[in-house]
């Protein structure tokens, strides 16, 4: 039994060592692919995954346990911040997001990375599940800034704001819209500190 345990442990350790690096490369590639959905790769020239800042608890972004911000730069100058954020108030729980905010305060893109919203009803917040492939719901944030759209207008139209929603599914877009507004405001107030 002891010999079996030693051989099995050795095999497991060997398998772990053999697969650790390929798994890490695959995870990094997937992370970069997701970031590049909200921030065009040609807009920055730094090694984005290495220019990351780890945040402690950041309630402004819905991150009670903290999260990460990637800092995009071109020729050493700030281009954009890519935030992890959570909308805690989705219909079926937390909605995880990645949001790019340019150095000029413009939203570069928004992607839902995880949610449990009702299939066929509230899941259109995720462009992969949105039936409108020509103009996915999340694309309406792109280009918006606090300078052109005051914070009080960062709401769905049902609540007197600027952003569309689909009838029968207001809670999910309301949660995402509020999370994006908080991220844009956080980027605006913390910009200089976040790029350091």
């Amino acid at each position: 039994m002891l010999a079996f345990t030693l051989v099995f442990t050795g095999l497991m350790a060997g398998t772990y060592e053999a697969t650790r690096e390929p798994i890490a490369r695959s995870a990094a590639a997937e992370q970069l692919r997701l970031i590049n959905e909200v921030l065009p790769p040609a807009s920055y020239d730094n090694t984005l995954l290495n220019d990351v800042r780890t945040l402690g608890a950041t309630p402004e972004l819905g991150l009670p346990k903290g999260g990460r911000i990637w800092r995009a730069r071109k020729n050493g100058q700030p281009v954009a911040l890519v935030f992890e954020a959570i909308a805690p108030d989705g219909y079926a729980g937390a909605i995880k997001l990645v949001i790019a905010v340019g150095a000029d305060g413009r939203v570069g893109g928004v992607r839902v990375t995880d949610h449990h919203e009702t299939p066929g009803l509230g899941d259109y917040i995720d462009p992969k599940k949105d039936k409108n492939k020509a103009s996915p719901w999340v694309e309406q944030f792109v280009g918006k800034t606090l300078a052109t759209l005051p914070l009080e207008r960062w709401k769905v139209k049902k609540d007197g704001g600027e952003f569309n929603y689909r009838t029968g599914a207001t809670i999910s877009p309301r949660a995402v819209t509020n999370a994006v507004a908080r991220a844009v405001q956080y980027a605006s107030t913390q910009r200089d500190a976040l790029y350091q």
Side-chain angles (χ1 to χ4, degrees), residues 35-60:
I35 290 169
N36 288 338
E37 285 186 24
V38 297
L39 183 66
S43 67
Y44 62 91
D45 62 9
N46 63 322
T47 306
L48 195 63
L49 295 183
N50 293 338
D51 197 347
V52 63
R53 182 159 184 191
T54 302
L55 300 173
T58 312
E60 301 91 336

Side-chain angles (χ1 to χ4, degrees), residues 1 3 17 37 42 48 74 102 105 113 121 140 153 175 186 190:
M1 187 62 128
E17 283 302 316
E37 285 186 24
L48 195 63
K74 191 154 193 171
T113 61
L121 188 60
Q140 65 185 315
R153 298 283 299 154
Y186 185 75
Q190 301 297 318

Side-chain angles (χ1 to χ4, degrees), residues 164-189:
N164 292 319
Y165 65 96
R166 302 217 176 116
T167 304
T170 312
I171 296 172
S172 306
R174 179 182 289 136
V176 171
T177 301
N178 291 339
V180 174
R182 288 190 302 270
V184 171
Q185 185 176 29
Y186 185 75
S188 173
T189 61

